[in-house]
Amino acid sequence: MKTLQKTLLAVATGSLLTVSAQAAVSYGNGYTGQPYVGAKVGQFDLDTNGADDPTAYGVYAGYNFDPNFGMEAEFVGSDDADYRGGDIDAKTYGAYGTYRYAFPNSGIYAKGKLGIAKTEVEASSTNFSGASDFSDDDTSLAGGVGLGYSVNPDFSVEAEYDMLGSDADLMTVGAQLKF
């Protein structure tokens, strides 16, 4: 990920997380939902021989229809990691249905998600036998599990493990601001 992209991502994330918001949850008879935005950082686990796993940076947005069910969309990109003297870069776009189970009186919740993700991996290297480049573009069923903690009604932190298909996994920690 280029320096300008990292800077813009950091500025956008900082701006979103510093904005004050009112929780729109009523979940009474009117079932008012709750939108949220978040940022995450972690590491891709790529099934690529000779490659370091790149650091991942991402943003996501979602909507909780009720306390348990919702939907979420995310984009996660990576910095350039070492691949046989060159670079490897990964990014993923996903859309998911989510389920949350809140543990009573604790602020802790478990989260599961299932949907579709497009994962792109590009690598280029120069080794003793010459140049070797490859590109992999995969759209497949994806899902994840995680644990979160609601710091207050407007702010949560989460740790997640996502399976993005046969060649990539993603482990992240993130924070989300609820509106």
Side-chain angles (χ1 to χ4, degrees):
M1 193 179 261
K2 306 285 186 244
T3 304
L4 178 61
Q5 290 172 324
K6 288 181 186 177
T7 304
L8 290 174
L9 182 60
V11 168
T13 302
S15 297
L16 288 173
L17 292 178
T18 57
V19 171
S20 63
Q22 290 268 337
V25 175
S26 100
Y27 296 137
N29 292 337
Y31 290 117
T32 301
Q34 185 174 43
Y36 58 90
V37 294
K40 56 175 69 176
V41 63
Q43 189 167 28
F44 279 101
D45 181 13
L46 303 175
D47 189 18
T48 308
N49 292 333
D52 290 342
D53 290 327
T55 302
Y57 306 94
V59 292
Y60 60 102
Y63 188 82
N64 292 323
F65 299 109
D66 65 26
N68 299 110
F69 293 98
M71 64 180 188
E72 191 170 285
E74 73 178 2
F75 167 77
V76 180
S78 72
D79 62 355
D80 292 332
D82 183 49
Y83 175 67
R84 299 179 181 175
D87 292 326
I88 189 165
D89 185 41
K91 60 184 150 199
T92 184
Y93 311 85
Y96 304 95
T98 61
Y99 177 80
R100 284 180 180 74
Y101 172 77
F103 295 98
N105 303 318
S106 67
I108 297 172
Y109 60 90
K111 176 181 169 184
K113 63 184 189 178
L114 184 63
I116 296 175
K118 177 178 182 172
T119 305
E120 300 172 355
V121 179
E122 295 181 9
S124 63
S125 76
T126 305
N127 55 28
F128 296 111
S129 62
S132 124
D133 296 339
F134 78 87
S135 179
D136 185 23
D137 188 346
D138 183 32
T139 301
S140 63
L141 186 66
V145 294
L147 276 176
Y149 177 70
S150 294
V151 176
N152 62 44
D154 298 334
F155 185 74
S156 298
V157 292
E158 292 182 344
E160 257 184 23
Y161 174 75
D162 297 331
M163 296 150 286
L164 303 171
S166 61
D167 295 334
D169 295 332
L170 178 64
M171 294 156 282
T172 58
V173 293
Q176 64 182 250
L177 181 65
K178 303 170 194 166
F179 298 98

